[in-house]
C-alpha cells in the first residue's frame, strides 16, 4: 500500500499520537484514582497500558468498531488481567464503537474515502520531471488542504499543512477543538475498560484508572481565551502544547 500523508496523519492523530498530544509526560499517562488505596492496582499493571488505548483509538478511527480480549491469570497469588488483540482461546472481550458524539460512521467513512484519493507522494513522483505539472499540483494541494480543513471541522486539523494557509489564531483554535475530540475518544475507551474492570474485580466505581492529560474543561477555557483575546497567543500556545517542563 502506497504511503498517504494526509491519511497517515489522521490515523496518528487518533492513534499512536493521541496520548502524547494530550499529555507530554509519557511516563505518567495514567494513574489509579484511589492512589495507594486502589485495589485495582493489584489486578492491573499500567506498564504498556498506553499501547492498548492507542490501538483501540486507532482501530476506531479506521474501522469504526473494535474488540479487545482479556483473561484473568493468577500471578503470585493475585488475580491479574491481561489484554490481547486477538481471541486466542475464547477469551472474554470488551467491544467498542466510535461514539456518534465524536464522529458518525457516515462522516468517518466519507473522510477516509476522500483522503485515500489524496496522495501527494504519488502525484508528485509521477510528475517529477514536469515543472508545469508540479506547479499545478502545488495549487491542487492547497485547494485540497483547504477542503480537508472544512471537511474535518471541528474534530481534526493537520498541523503540518494548515499553518501555511490559515492564521495562527485559527489554527490554534482548531487544534484546541481537535484535542477536545481526542480527549473524548480516550475518555470513552478508558471508561469502557473501567466498567469492565469494576465488574470483573467487584470494585467500587471510584476505584478506576485516570488519564492525566489536559482536560476538556481546560481546552474549552483555551477556546474562550482565543475568542475573547484574554490571553496572549504565545501563552495560549504554550499551554495548549504543554511545552512547560514536565516535573
Amino acid at each position: 500500500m502506497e504511503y498517504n500523508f494526509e491519511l497517515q496523519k489522521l490515523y496518528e492523530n487518533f492513534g499512536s499520537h493521541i496520548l502524547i498530544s494530550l499529555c507530554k509526560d509519557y511516563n505518567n499517562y495514567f494513574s489509579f484514582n484511589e492512589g495507594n488505596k486502589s485495589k485495582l492496582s493489584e489486578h492491573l499493571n499500567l506498564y504498556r497500558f498506553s499501547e492498548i488505548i492507542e490501538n483501540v483509538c486507532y482501530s476506531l478511527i479506521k474501522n469504526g468498531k473494535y474488540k479487545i480480549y482479556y483473561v484473568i491469570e493468577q500471578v503470585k497469588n493475585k488475580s491479574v488481567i491481561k489484554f490481547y488483540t486477538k481471541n486466542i482461546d475464547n477469551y472474554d472481550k470488551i467491544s467498542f464503537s466510535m461514539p456518534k458524539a465524536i464522529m458518525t460512521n457516515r462522516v468517518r467513512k466519507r473522510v477516509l474515502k476522500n483522503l485515500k484519493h489524496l496522495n501527494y507522494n504519488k502525484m508528485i513522483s509521477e510528475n517529477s520531471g514536469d515543472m508545469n505539472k508540479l506547479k499545478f499540483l502545488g495549487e491542487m494541494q492547497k485547494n485540497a488542504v483547504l477542503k480537508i480543513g472544512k471537511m474535518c471541522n471541528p474534530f481534526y486539523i493537520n498541523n503540518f499543512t494548515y499553518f501555511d494557509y490559515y492564521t495562527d489564531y485559527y489554527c490554534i483554535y482548531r487544534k484546541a477543538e481537535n484535542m477536545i475530540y481526542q480527549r473524548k475518544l480516550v475518555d470513552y475507551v478508558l471508561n469502557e475498560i473501567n466498567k469492565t474492570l469494576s465488574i470483573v474485580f467487584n470494585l467500587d466505581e471510584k476505584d478506576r484508572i485516570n488519564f492525566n492529560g489536559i482536560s476538556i474543561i481546560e481546552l474549552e477555557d483555551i477556546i474562550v481565551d482565543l475568542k475573547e483575546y484574554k490571553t496572549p497567543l504565545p501563552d495560549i500556545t504554550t499551554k495548549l502544547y504543554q511545552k512547560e517542563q514536565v516535573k
Side-chain angles (χ1 to χ4, degrees), residues 119-239:
N119 193 330
Y120 300 153
N121 293 49
K122 182 179 180 180
M123 289 189 296
I124 293 174
S125 63
E126 289 178 349
N127 297 277
S128 58
D130 192 325
M131 295 303 298
N132 290 327
K133 285 186 177 181
L134 285 177
K135 183 178 179 180
F136 177 67
L137 286 172
E139 190 62 29
M140 285 180 59
Q141 177 178 335
K142 176 182 177 180
N143 293 334
V145 168
L146 297 177
K147 182 176 180 181
I148 292 170
K150 183 177 181 180
M151 177 177 61
C152 295
N153 187 16
F155 56 83
Y156 170 68
I157 184 172
N158 184 347
N159 286 352
F160 289 89
T161 55
Y162 292 175
F163 275 92
D164 293 335
Y165 308 113
Y166 295 103
T167 65
D168 289 348
Y169 262 95
Y170 182 70
C171 285
I172 296 301
Y173 175 84
R174 285 287 302 275
K175 178 61 179 175
E177 284 193 321
N178 173 207
M179 290 171 68
I180 287 176
Y181 283 85
Q182 287 178 312
R183 179 72 206 222
K184 285 181 178 179
L185 184 57
V186 171
D187 287 349
Y188 161 72
V189 173
L190 196 56
N191 186 56
E192 293 302 304
I193 293 175
N194 273 318
K195 286 194 296 185
T196 296
L197 294 173
S198 179
I199 294 171
V200 169
F201 297 112
N202 192 27
L203 301 170
D204 185 283
E205 62 180 17
K206 293 182 179 179
D207 196 354
R208 54 190 287 118
I209 308 166
N210 292 329
F211 175 56
N212 300 319
I214 189 169
S215 69
I216 290 177
I217 292 176
E218 289 174 306
L219 290 166
E220 289 175 340
D221 286 343
I222 287 175
I223 290 176
V224 171
D225 279 354
L226 285 166
K227 288 180 177 179
E228 299 181 358
Y229 297 96
K230 297 169 67 174
T231 306
L233 186 60
D235 294 342
I236 293 177
T237 303
T238 297
K239 185 178 181 180

Side-chain angles (χ1 to χ4, degrees), residues 85-142:
T85 57
K86 295 181 179 180
N87 189 4
I88 301 173
D89 190 23
N90 293 320
Y91 291 160
D92 290 317
K93 65 181 181 292
I94 306 175
S95 299
F96 305 89
S97 296
M98 175 65 81
K100 292 182 179 180
I102 298 175
M103 193 185 309
T104 65
N105 202 41
R106 181 179 179 182
V107 169
R108 184 189 64 80
K109 288 182 176 180
R110 176 168 58 86
V111 169
L112 296 186
K113 180 180 179 180
N114 288 338
L115 291 184
K116 285 176 182 178
H117 290 299
L118 180 64
N119 193 330
Y120 300 153
N121 293 49
K122 182 179 180 180
M123 289 189 296
I124 293 174
S125 63
E126 289 178 349
N127 297 277
S128 58
D130 192 325
M131 295 303 298
N132 290 327
K133 285 186 177 181
L134 285 177
K135 183 178 179 180
F136 177 67
L137 286 172
E139 190 62 29
M140 285 180 59
Q141 177 178 335
K142 176 182 177 180

